[in-house]
Amino acid sequence: MNDASRTYDVMVIGAGPAGENVADRTRAAGLSTVILEHELLGGECSFWACEPSKALLRPVIARADARRVPGLSRAVQGALDVPAVLAHRDTMAEHWKDDDQVDWLNSVSVDLIRGHGRFTGPRQVEVRTAEGDTVRLTARQAVVVATGTGAALPDLPGLAAVRPWTSRDATSADHVPGRLVVVGGGVVAVEMATAWQALGSEVTLLVRSRAGLLPRMEPFAGEMVAEGLRELGVDVRIGSSVTSVARDAAGEVRTTVSDGEEITSDEILFAIGRSPKTEDLGLETIGLTPGQWLPVDDTCRVTTVPEGWLYAVGDINHRALMTHQGKYQARIAGAAIGARAHARPVDDAKWGDHVATADTEAVPQVVFTHPEVASVGLTTREAERTGRRVKVVDHDIGLVAGARQYAEGYRGRARMLLDEERDTVVGVTFVGPGVGELLHSATVAVVSEVPVRRLWHAVPAFPTISEVWLRLLETCRG
């Protein structure tokens, strides 16, 4: 990339999973494509989120499961091999090197410029490279923003001097803090509390909301995860917010909470949400406000920019902040960009080839705690808020033969929501060990809008935990 100016059909700003996928799809559509990235190709998911966090959690959850298996439980009562766990985490994060990602980009003929890109006007981006050079780029068809999000931090005096952990620190730390305070009640908070407690930290989890853990899911999910964390030894405090935090001369963190108590720890992790990475993109040159989310239509085209050349995929559009949904949006957007570039019809009907309908109808999510939580589609609260008439069907997963085979004392719960008018499944939540592997069947049921009378003929194998589907249907039929 020695040219000072170049023109492509498509520019992609950000080479995380969403950016890589949209570049792959536009290139497959025959459009010349360049991708810009100032950090590691593969983004947050590969190096600081999904991959390293699940590498930390896998031995934790496997040990917890094994401790409830007769004939195995006595063999797994000891502590985890922390150096081995961290070494495996490093391997899963490719030791924070992106050579494989670069090779993949080359294999699909997508150009790469390493550097920070900023808009200078419509379809115009200027890139400052790591070497200090400037490359000016023009897009004929589309620019796609896929810069993702960063960890949000509270507005607390002196916070920077405390050097708090964010999700990046929590997934890449090379030592186990003796005492760790985790602030937050969402997915990152509960997963990291699970991981670091099992690795040897004394963990205190501070949850400001009195709604408890995982407030966007069914209430019983958060309640069961809180119970599981307490059994692990985590001090879970609901309705407790941070009023001040400081690091003293000895390096200890002193956190004052809303009831006046001071908690002393070695590190503090804030996991209170995400912020869009749009502060330094030059959005003001195209009529947008720096630091804002980028609202899009169902083809992932930004709705507030004239002429329809700007797209946003992944977390940055605030539709569904999960890697798999960002990749899904990227496939949709790439196909839509290709269709429009070649003057072909855009299929924008619900569930059409060029619309991300699943973002609003069927977002699957797994929380890797003990017990696991898996959900897709509506919750009861969402149904009530939107006025949907649903029938709620619950079942105790622990009563299923496959659950009893899985572990002694298996505790779990399943909830299925049925659209009363159409008799289709519109939401499912599972809580219990191993339920993440049940989720895709639920996702297929929601997306396919399969009538319950047809699901009756989908026979689950015995004895598996998936037999809970049969029990839910039997409960529904009375």
Side-chain angles (χ1 to χ4, degrees), residues 356-370:
T357 306
D359 282 348
T360 55
E361 299 285 335
V363 176
Q365 182 173 17
V366 178
V367 185
F368 292 86
T369 46
H370 194 269

Side-chain angles (χ1 to χ4, degrees), residues 180-353:
L180 175 66
V181 169
V182 180
V183 183
V187 176
V188 173
V190 297
E191 288 189 347
M192 290 299 94
T194 301
W196 288 105
Q197 175 71 31
L199 290 169
S201 292
E202 179 184 316
V203 176
T204 301
L205 180 60
L206 304 178
V207 186
R208 181 176 65 179
S209 172
R210 295 196 176 276
L213 305 182
L214 305 175
R216 296 183 179 180
M217 299 182 133
E218 295 285 4
F220 67 83
E223 292 164 5
M224 294 180 73
V225 170
E227 182 182 352
L229 285 170
R230 289 186 173 115
E231 288 180 354
L232 290 172
V234 175
D235 182 2
V236 181
R237 304 189 186 189
I238 306 299
S240 183
S241 58
V242 176
T243 58
S244 69
V245 62
R247 192 179 288 270
D248 63 21
E252 293 184 324
V253 179
R254 299 190 178 277
T255 303
T256 304
V257 296
S258 48
D259 64 2
E261 182 183 354
E262 184 178 86
I263 304 170
T264 302
S265 64
D266 299 287
E267 303 291 351
I268 183 168
L269 163 63
F270 284 96
I272 59 173
R274 308 292 293 178
S275 299
K277 289 186 176 179
T278 58
E279 302 91 341
D280 191 24
L281 285 181
L283 293 184
E284 66 278 3
T285 68
I286 56 173
L288 300 178
T289 303
Q292 72 171 17
W293 302 96
L294 298 181
V296 297
D297 63 19
D298 284 346
T299 68
C300 296
R301 188 161 58 174
V302 176
T303 56
T304 52
V305 173
E307 300 180 9
W309 57 269
L310 184 63
Y311 292 73
V313 296
D315 286 7
I316 202 70
N317 63 33
H318 210 226
R319 285 169 67 97
L321 277 65
M322 281 162 275
T323 294
H324 45 274
Q325 291 303 122
K327 293 164 71 173
Y328 162 70
Q329 293 165 14
R331 295 190 294 269
I332 294 294
I337 290 168
R340 287 171 174 142
H342 296 299
R344 293 197 294 263
V346 173
D347 181 3
D348 58 2
K350 184 178 179 181
W351 302 115
D353 290 344

